[in-house]
Amino acid sequence: MAGCASMGGASDDPTAALKGAEVYTHSVENGDTVEEYRVGGQLRAVKVTPSRGPVYYLVDNDGDGRLDSSKGEGTVSPVYYKLFSW
C-alpha cells in the first residue's frame, strides 16, 4: 500500500487534463451522480459518484469518442479509483 500512497498527483483525476470540456451532470435512479465530459462533442470521460463507495472514472484513452473496452467484450475497462487525497 505504501507504493500506492506515494503515487499521488495530477493523474488522480483524469478529467483535470480535459481543457475546455463541457460537463453534463445527471442523477441515476440508485442515487449515483454521473458527469459526462465532452470535448468538441466527443465523450472523453465519465465520472461516477456513487451514493455509496468511492468515485470512479471511465476514460476514452484513444480519442475515438467511445469509452475504451478490453478485448471487445463490451465491458468498459479500466475503471480509475482515487485512492488517496491530501
Side-chain angles (χ1 to χ4, degrees):
M1 273 309 210
C4 293
S6 66
M7 295 180 66
S11 65
D12 289 345
D13 182 358
T15 62
L18 299 175
K19 303 296 180 207
E22 296 178 17
V23 182
Y24 299 96
T25 304
H26 63 278
S27 296
V28 186
E29 262 182 44
N30 64 1
D32 294 357
T33 301
V34 177
E35 296 175 44
E36 296 180 0
Y37 291 78
R38 295 180 180 271
V39 176
Q42 279 193 327
L43 182 63
R44 299 300 304 269
V46 175
K47 176 181 177 181
V48 180
T49 306
S51 58
R52 295 181 180 174
V55 172
Y56 62 93
Y57 301 88
L58 307 169
V59 181
D60 171 24
N61 289 314
D62 56 8
D64 65 357
R66 297 184 333 201
L67 300 175
D68 296 328
S69 63
S70 62
K71 302 174 189 163
E73 297 171 358
T75 58
V76 177
S77 173
V79 175
Y80 296 93
Y81 289 95
K82 183 174 184 178
L83 298 177
F84 297 99
S85 179
W86 286 267

